[in-house]
Amino acid sequence: MKLVFVMTLLLTIFISPITYSKTSVADEDGYRLWLKYDLISNKQQRESYSSSLANANINGHSDTINIIAQELEQAIPSLLGSKVSVTLNKSVQSDLLIEKTNKRLVSQYQIKSQIEQLGEEGFLIKTVKDKKGKRTLISANSDIGLLYGTYRFIQLLQTGQSINALNIIEQPKTQIRMLNHWDDLDRHTERGYAGESIWDWHKLPEIQSQRYTDYARANASIGINGTALNNVNANSLILTPAWIKKVKALADIFRPYGIKVYLSVKFSSPQQIGGLNTSDPLNNNVQKWWQNKAKEIYNVIPDFGGFLVKANSEGQPGPGDYDRTHAEGANMLAKALSPFGGNVIWRAFVYSHEDKTERSLQAYKEFVPLDGQFAENISIQVKNGPIDFQPREPFSPLFGAMPKTPLAMEFQITQEYLGFSTHLAYLAPLYEEVLDTDTLVKGQGSTVAKVIDGTLDNKALTVMAGVANIGTDRNWTGHIFAQSNWYAFGRLAWDHQLSSSDIANEWIKMTLTKEQKAVEVINKLMMGSREHIVNYMTPLGLHHLMATGHHYGPGPWVDDLSRADWNPVYYHRADEKGIGLDRTITGENGVAQYAKPWKEIFSDPSQTPENLLLWFHHLPWDYQMASGEILWDELVNHYYDGAAAVVEMDKQWKLLEEHITPSQFNQVSMALSVQVKEAKWWRDACVLYFQTFAKRPLPKGLSKPQKTLEHYRSLSFPNAPGQG
Amino acid sequence: MKLVFVMTLLLTIFISPITYSKTSVADEDGYRLWLKYDLISNKQQRESYSSSLANANINGHSDTINIIAQELEQAIPSLLGSKVSVTLNKSVQSDLLIEKTNKRLVSQYQIKSQIEQLGEEGFLIKTVKDKKGKRTLISANSDIGLLYGTYRFIQLLQTGQSINALNIIEQPKTQIRMLNHWDDLDRHTERGYAGESIWDWHKLPEIQSQRYTDYARANASIGINGTALNNVNANSLILTPAWIKKVKALADIFRPYGIKVYLSVKFSSPQQIGGLNTSDPLNNNVQKWWQNKAKEIYNVIPDFGGFLVKANSEGQPGPGDYDRTHAEGANMLAKALSPFGGNVIWRAFVYSHEDKTERSLQAYKEFVPLDGQFAENISIQVKNGPIDFQPREPFSPLFGAMPKTPLAMEFQITQEYLGFSTHLAYLAPLYEEVLDTDTLVKGQGSTVAKVIDGTLDNKALTVMAGVANIGTDRNWTGHIFAQSNWYAFGRLAWDHQLSSSDIANEWIKMTLTKEQKAVEVINKLMMGSREHIVNYMTPLGLHHLMATGHHYGPGPWVDDLSRADWNPVYYHRADEKGIGLDRTITGENGVAQYAKPWKEIFSDPSQTPENLLLWFHHLPWDYQMASGEILWDELVNHYYDGAAAVVEMDKQWKLLEEHITPSQFNQVSMALSVQVKEAKWWRDACVLYFQTFAKRPLPKGLSKPQKTLEHYRSLSFPNAPGQG
């Protein structure tokens, strides 16, 4: 009787959190991200895992080791529904042994060759046998490597892989895998669509939100090891003593998770907060100021990562203000950080208000001549394309053009131009497309990825950065699927050879469902999603058609901004004859910045990939496309296909209801209803606008937009989020 | 064997959420507020409750009825660990019967006299007997009344009260019990210290956060039945069709919880969004515009509450721009809303930039002459004191001075002047102090509460408003204890006769702990907390000493603001002779606005309550206080006592660790460490500053401030939150 009561009680408590009453706090609101350790429903699999995971022993002494133990204590019982005994530094014969590499391990398990491949952060997960039996060994050259191995091992359980005969050797292909937060000190986030900055600066250092720990944990689980906390449009206050204390508090929380803190710095800080009357990088006092500032920071944050700098770009101060080069500016900072092991990450996204050269051409023009002049602790961070994170761009011509300089990749994870946080856009295919592009600068196989990972030109300092999509929204990223972009960025920064589809499958199983049919449907949704957005926003190489400032919605008609190359009309050049921007030698000549044979390929419309056609060429409305359609019809079809694909995504998603927790299902359903609406908005506004030039009817079978162009032009959204 | 396995599994799952690993999502992060339905640890009590709560039946058909059912299904099993069968419209003999009043109930249970006392929103909770046995009846004249009764009943269980012989009859003393959100349309919240606005306007109406439902539920549980969604410094966009759709989405969510939506409107909306060239309230087109706008709103939100208006105050437009009175302006809006049952809530917090009369005197001067001129669906909303939500103010002289006009109370729940969201300040004693103050205008017993609840002058329209402290922080209010102010505001708006100490005990038991000793300690902390803040910020009637703009920290030295009465020096008037603002007839003559005998009391330092002494009088540094100390010593002692009390609070709290969940405990501990620091900051900055005038030593035994006045004057906080 008593047992029955207890059982009832436990059942009640057990069951109550998985009923999704409208009046109750949703239990699966997305906060846990991909680190959901829910009971594996396949009993056979669970029992199979359990039988070889009754106990785990970790050898070591550090906060990181304690985190490993906590993570296992949390994950194994929750996933398997079985008890696990996790011990620290016990000489037990455990099913799972986690220990740093050492002579004993090497000789006992014959793992010399494997261990040689691990580097500082890599790990080995290997099924080993000894006299006492079979066990899983996780080893690494550092505690952080052990933590990474542990997350990888848990991921195997989460995604239902066998753990019977493991021999996994991994080490990251990029040295610095970092997030860039464009977060202002007042918590506004530039291009943030998931609430405000998670850094509650005002309350730091004393008040330390649980989020900070959970943020570090999520990043560590995918191998992210750096974070630049503040906006590249930087506020010099971040370097004042009061703020350094706040930064230290975060650094202390992140350290055991292997994450270093970086700060975006304003080049004019010596004047703004240092009392100097110049910030000239060749000035002695300026140099000393930065050296002292570095010392001050490292005094409290001994593993500080370094500075991220946006200089002489969009009005930011920089060395150019004193007729110094980017190299002279960066080298000064590099010298200040060098004694402490810090790096300078200097952005190549530069264009000056004075220089009338088209903005997309300026980075190459300014940086390529400086190749070889940068100190060795500097990496030049280049956006993936020459303009600014458009749904599709060709690769930046800087990749491959600066063989003597480490180049960092800057991807945007936040969806500034891809539907904010209401459009389902899985970005790994975009990242993959860029990384896999062959620059051909050293013959076939000179991929962008090899520029970034340093193997093409033998670089030691390698960096991949992603502009974060993280905010205070409970689900971190505003859209449940936007979590997949954070995840995929981390995975690709760790290993750019992973396929975006495989990453999607990992993420789906860890985040949404393990049901195979549902995984397949969702994989398809995700893999197609970015191309749908290209189609309904900027097909065939069109770009920069969005509304001014907030970039919310279409604005192809915008022509009133002070700088010519800020206006959408500059980029699409639609007129009665045709559409597209001639970037060949007869036009803006952007092709000249590409090496052979890309220069020739991009110069010739018939060779240019159709998905970049209008990026490089102005072509007549009746230009013949490969499909047999004329350009106008093809263009319109892309717009209609894109919008129709979203309707189909919405339908497909609705069929998945039984496999997805209600809160996740509803969040995505609501977002899809916005996306359906906004995809049509983009389609209709752009088609109606371009039709005023093309003066041709829609291809047969397509229904006319219901609203007028004037309606779309009249819309205004002064409070749209994320404004820069 | 199998049972043991299941038991282990259940135990694992049961236990895992109550271990507070640093690496895991905190389970008790404050999100649930006071609606925590955790298992009651006292087994006897649990069993006693369970024995009379095996089943519940609710008769009725509405969304509200469904919410009642869900709430019981969630609360009872979680609190009692026992099963409950909740049915709708079944003719079962249930332990708990919830049903609207009707003839059958009246005759069966003899409750005619009780029911006559319930009004529209009240409820009866009564232990009744019939042939089939004993049961608890919850009855009311409306479904909302039933919902209120249900929450009250659950509260009995949460706070451990007997449910064996109930006879609770309640009806709210105030008709409209509302929150005022000072939330801008870009999600910035004026005077918000808990993240940004919970209204994600950009994503509405499609994306409906779970928070909206949870917000409604929390409010309903304490009887709040109205919410003004946007800042009184209003943006006219809120009245455009796109925004009305967003407002409707929220209104639809709130409706079944009994909450009506109100909007703050900009008086110049007819010009800003209506295309008119005037907003003159006597202009025909302007009147029509508002009438049509009201129609448009009510067409989609049939129970829309009405407009909240800040006009001709701090630069906001208003009827005064056309030489019309507040009454003429308000009446125009009232006429537009009247056909639909809507109300105008017109704020008395007015001061014009042109009028040089001290701002605290202007409201009385402008409004009292208009008494009797306002339409009957208008309430004039008055801040509790004459200035602006200072830690202590005398009651506003408007209370009692406008017998022909409904006056609404405006309290501030957000702690603009009481330590933002890092100081523990339980505000119910402040609210209570104001409500219980006897205006004496109709002889003894003419309390402010009776002005507000309409009984003093027989008013039908009664309103109590609280400026919300709610934001996107996971715990809603930034500080766990700030939740108690939301809670207490709701409880006092429902029944101003409740004692702040009793309310504190309810809240503590529902939110933090039921352990009696701990409840007592926390009650003491809470009840003293506001007075400590008065002491370390603005003792003895001092006021308005805070820094400019953000109001963060002390700024008694500020003297450079363009309007004299914006400067702290205006209010404290410290000089070599003494300190305090002479508001008697020899000075600013604020006392003239008070009725007898308050006018006389406030005119005489020896009669003026010491805690308001320097509000009304400029007194010499050696003025003799009741304690026997001179004013300077007394003042300094207050500052030191206040700061010392916070150190003591911190100590007391630390002793409670075993009784509080770790996440709550840690959150409060971190906040207390800030408060200890900032209390000293206030103390030292103010004492050092006033000492420059008093030129006297600190009283014996007090340690000198460690930093200089110059240090405190040099501090600057450009990114402090909540700026207006």
Side-chain angles (χ1 to χ4, degrees), chain A residues 34 206 217 451 462 467 496 574 576 696 712:
Chain A
W34 48 85
E206 290 89 353
R217 179 177 168 243
V451 175
T462 63
V467 180
H496 55 69
E576 297 204 355
R696 289 165 187 269
Y712 293 113

Side-chain angles (χ1 to χ4, degrees), chain A residues 521-532:
Chain A
V521 172
I522 298 168
N523 179 285
K524 228 174 133 187
L525 285 187
M526 291 172 73
M527 290 303 293
S529 59
R530 177 259 189 149
E531 202 63 36
H532 303 327

Side-chain angles (χ1 to χ4, degrees), chain B residues 251-267:
Chain B
D252 288 345
I253 294 170
F254 300 164
R255 188 169 298 111
Y257 291 92
I259 296 167
K260 287 186 183 180
V261 156
Y262 297 72
L263 293 178
S264 296
V265 298
K266 204 172 193 80
F267 200 78

